[in-house]
Amino acid sequence: MKNILFISIEESLFIVFIAILVFGPKKIPEIARGLGEGIRYLKNAKKRIKNEIIQNNIDHKKKEFPNGKNKHMPPYSVKRNK
């Protein structure tokens, strides 16, 4: 069985017991809900930043190569004069 955060079942039950003693059973769901909202906010922020970086890269490539072609690369077919 895989231990989460390298702690055993007994240690995690002890932590839950201490949390109930400190915060009370009515406050635990509110704390868990707040943690969930915080994690969701971080995931959404990460997704927005990633999309912004991707969009900036696409815009940069369009400005650099307006026709989708690199002006420094030769074309695939070269016509030679005879």
Side-chain angles (χ1 to χ4, degrees):
M1 186 166 124
K2 188 175 180 180
N3 292 335
I4 299 174
L5 298 175
F6 305 108
I7 59 175
S8 68
I9 300 290
E10 294 84 15
E11 291 170 337
S12 42
L13 289 176
F14 181 72
I15 292 171
V16 169
F17 177 72
I18 296 298
I20 290 173
L21 285 178
V22 171
F23 298 113
K26 292 183 181 181
K27 202 73 161 161
I28 299 292
E30 294 175 23
I31 294 170
R33 194 174 303 116
L35 286 173
E37 289 173 1
I39 291 171
R40 194 175 315 116
Y41 177 79
L42 290 175
K43 283 183 180 180
N44 289 337
K46 179 181 131 183
K47 189 184 299 183
R48 284 193 309 263
I49 291 170
K50 183 178 178 182
N51 289 339
E52 186 175 333
I53 290 171
I54 291 171
Q55 188 63 38
N56 285 340
N57 284 340
I58 290 171
D59 291 342
H60 178 70
K61 286 180 181 178
K62 284 181 182 177
K63 288 179 185 176
E64 189 174 330
F65 314 118
N67 296 332
K69 297 179 182 177
N70 187 343
K71 60 183 174 183
H72 299 292
M73 291 183 63
Y76 288 107
S77 61
V78 178
K79 292 182 181 178
R80 296 186 177 152
N81 294 331
K82 292 186 180 182

